[in-house]
Amino acid sequence: MRKQVTILDIQKMKDEGTPITVLTCYDYPTARIMDGCGIDVILVGDSLGVVVAGHENTLPVTVDEIIYHSRAVMRATPRAMVVADMPFLSYQVDIPTARLNAGRLIKEGGAAAVKLEGGTNMADTIRAITSMDIPVMGHIGLTPQSIHRMGGYRVQGKKEEQADRLMADALAVEAAGAFAVTLEGIPQKLARKITEALTIPTIGIGAGPGCDGQVLVLHDILGLCEKYSPKFVKRYADGRALIADAVSAYIAEVRSGEFPTEAHSFN
Ligand code: KIV
């Protein structure tokens, strides 16, 4: 069995200038394929609320849902490091609740680390969770759980004052003990500056090529989502067409009597 990726490997990759590859995933068969391809980190993101469950945004996702999907992913990943997202309301209310929920994602979900959104405002929470020996990935910039404050999914840090605040957030997340930080939806120059200022790795999504690693939502790169395709997504497959072709062929063959044949039947 190949060696499991750990936070030490992730740090070494930054130190050696090796790009860190991260994708979201929510189920066993897909995670098995991705692990076999050599992905470094799988994020069981709360994006599952949108791309799997069909919600408008990530806010309805629960800890139990993340645990369910993490367990499926974890069983399929002898190599990749699995990071479980902390959903809305699982860490913002108070620190004891945050510690308990982070612990559940590790104990029940089987993840090796958790991710939570927020910068300076979440530093004490990150410190409290890492003090339980649970590795935390930060997430700053366009934080989808803050959709109502941001007034939609908008690039953050375009103005100098906002950019300074994001730099302060990144430094606060690192000082609080996070092992990495996701930079989402920020100008590429700012992402590069933050990456150079931090000793921990930055994982970009819509933050340009200057980050230590990249993360995207799996359903986006597979072309499975019909609704919203942000500028930063690159589609690597036409998954909707692939599924539609297979399902249409099945329907046609059942209707025509072409399936099943002797080969698919028992005597
Ligand atoms: O939930 C998620 O998929 C995420 C990524 C977009 C970083 O947080």
Side-chain angles (χ1 to χ4, degrees):
M1 196 191 288
R2 288 164 299 168
K3 183 182 158 297
Q4 188 112 35
V5 176
T6 70
I7 60 168
L8 303 182
D9 299 308
I10 300 299
Q11 182 64 51
K12 194 162 168 242
M13 290 173 82
K14 168 162 183 144
D15 298 341
E16 294 177 350
T18 307
I20 301 160
T21 59
V22 187
L23 278 171
T24 67
C25 182
Y26 323 98
D27 69 85
Y28 177 86
T30 317
R32 259 181 83 90
I33 296 169
M34 289 167 62
D35 194 80
C37 292
I39 193 83
D40 298 311
V41 179
I42 289 182
L43 171 67
V44 183
D46 62 359
S47 50
L48 69 85
V50 177
V51 300
V52 175
H55 293 298
E56 275 297 311
N57 54 51
T58 59
L59 299 180
V61 176
T62 66
V63 173
D64 286 339
E65 286 166 348
I66 297 283
I67 288 173
Y68 174 84
H69 288 278
S70 296
R71 286 166 71 87
V73 167
M74 181 270 293
R75 288 184 207 112
T77 47
R79 179 183 181 278
M81 176 177 171
V82 177
V83 177
D85 226 355
M86 297 197 70
F88 179 62
L89 228 52
S90 71
Y91 59 97
Q92 293 94 340
V93 175
D94 57 33
I95 285 179
T97 311
R99 284 163 64 104
L100 181 65
N101 284 323
R104 287 192 65 205
L105 295 174
I106 303 296
K107 188 182 176 101
E108 298 173 46
V114 300
K115 177 170 83 56
L116 60 84
E117 298 180 8
T120 314
N121 61 332
M122 282 297 147
D124 287 344
T125 306
I126 294 173
R127 205 168 284 113
I129 296 172
T130 55
S131 76
M132 296 166 69
D133 289 341
I134 296 175
V136 176
M137 180 183 283
H139 183 162
I140 63 169
L142 191 172
T143 45
Q145 291 175 22
S146 313
I147 181 171
H148 297 308
R149 172 180 58 74
M150 295 183 301
Y153 297 122
R154 296 170 189 284
V155 175
Q156 304 291 302
K158 278 185 162 176
K159 293 193 181 132
E160 201 179 323
E161 178 202 330
Q162 268 190 343
D164 290 347
R165 218 175 308 135
L166 280 176
M167 175 61 86
D169 281 337
L171 292 168
V173 165
E174 171 168 283
F179 75 94
V181 60
T182 298
L183 305 180
E184 178 164 357
I186 67 173
Q188 54 176 326
K189 263 193 182 166
L190 174 61
R192 193 179 289 278
K193 203 169 148 197
I194 291 175
T195 301
E196 285 166 3
L198 297 189
T199 56
I200 59 171
T202 59
I203 309 295
I205 172 164
C211 301
D212 297 305
Q214 297 293 328
V215 57
L216 283 176
V217 170
L218 182 74
H219 289 54
D220 287 339
I221 72 160
L222 294 183
L224 290 173
C225 298
E226 57 185 317
K227 277 193 206 160
Y228 162 74
S229 187
K231 177 180 177 185
F232 58 79
V233 168
K234 181 167 178 185
R235 212 173 77 176
Y236 289 84
D238 189 353
R240 291 184 70 225
L242 197 73
I243 293 173
D245 285 351
V247 172
S248 301
Y250 169 77
I251 293 170
E253 289 195 6
V254 170
R255 286 184 179 154
S256 69
E258 203 177 324
F259 176 86
T261 63
E262 274 299 306
H264 307 109
S265 308
F266 300 105
N267 290 315

